[in-house]
Structure formats: C-alpha cells, structure tokens
Amino acid sequence: SCSSAVSRCCLGTPIDPVERRLLRVQQAVKESMTVEAPNVGSCMKSLHELLKLKITYKMLRRHQELARTILLLCKYKRSNAIKNRAKEVFQRLQSIAVTGVTLDVREEYMHKNKKFSAVLEKIENSSGALSPSESSTSIQSESGKQS
C-alpha cells in the first residue's frame, strides 16, 4: 500500500498532486474512523473533499483500496450522515470505474457539444428524417454559428 507521505506510487512511478491529495484524504478517512473513537466530523470533511477531487480512472485503478474503504463506510451503522455521504462518494467512484472518465470531463464534453446535441434533437423531433446531405448541412450551419 502507498504511504501518504511519499511522492511516488508503490510501483515507483511519480504521482501528481491530486493523487497525492487522494492518498492523504484516504488515510484521513481511515484514521478518523477507528473502532475505539470514531471522529464523524473529520470523516465527513474527508468524504466531502473526496467528492471535490478530480479522481481519474487510472488513480482509481492504482488505489483500489479507496473503493473498499468507502464501501465499508456505506455500511456504517452509527451515523446515517457518514453512510449517505459514503454512498455519494461510492457512486461517483463507480461512475468513474464504469465510464473511465470523471463527471467533470463528461460535463465539459457535453457543454462543448451542446450545438451538436441541439442538431441531433432537431433531427429526432422533426416529423421526417433528414437526408444525409441535409443533416451535414445543418451541422455545418450550426457549427458555423459558434462565437
């Protein structure tokens, strides 16, 4: 397992600042939820920070223990707040694992392609299907309107 104090991953590859922060937050979650004295406030803060981090698919693959830790918190019975926040984090991690991209990247992609989506919507909503030449003309005219 990787230590939060190192700047290299277990395999010796350098890690970026986001990944380093991910490891620190993961360690903070573990330390805050000891059996003897769980610190709900600290754990909630760490879970909130996990939601804000731009975790990539590669990071998730390298640090699978994070998902296991969060999954355990999803079953935590002493605090519904931790349980619910952990479920939020876990859903985000699942989304990254399934799609291979973070939510931010997908949202950015959708934002950049709104005009293309608008053209597709027009095509779907039209009573008759457009011919290939009409649809390419429509897409070109929409892309020509970019500011």
Side-chain angles (χ1 to χ4, degrees), residues 24-68:
R24 287 188 183 125
V25 171
Q26 177 185 355
Q27 189 63 33
V29 167
K30 287 181 178 182
E31 289 171 0
S32 67
M33 295 308 292
T34 61
V35 176
E36 303 83 34
N39 184 339
V40 173
S42 176
C43 184
M44 288 294 290
K45 182 180 175 185
S46 296
L47 289 172
H48 183 69
E49 191 165 345
L50 276 175
L51 284 173
K52 292 190 300 184
L53 284 176
K54 293 187 180 188
I55 300 168
T56 65
Y57 178 75
K58 286 182 180 181
M59 286 180 207
L60 201 53
R61 292 283 299 166
R62 276 196 292 259
H63 308 291
Q64 294 177 11
E65 186 179 336
L66 172 66
R68 287 190 291 270

Side-chain angles (χ1 to χ4, degrees), residues 85-119:
R85 184 60 55 94
K87 285 179 182 180
E88 264 184 81
V89 173
F90 191 75
Q91 286 172 349
R92 180 164 181 257
L93 297 179
Q94 270 187 315
S95 174
I96 294 167
V98 169
T99 63
V101 293
T102 64
L103 293 175
D104 294 337
V105 172
R106 279 189 304 210
E107 288 170 3
E108 183 179 324
Y109 173 79
M110 292 305 291
H111 178 71
K112 286 182 179 178
N113 291 302
K114 272 186 181 177
K115 290 186 170 141
F116 181 71
S117 298
V119 171

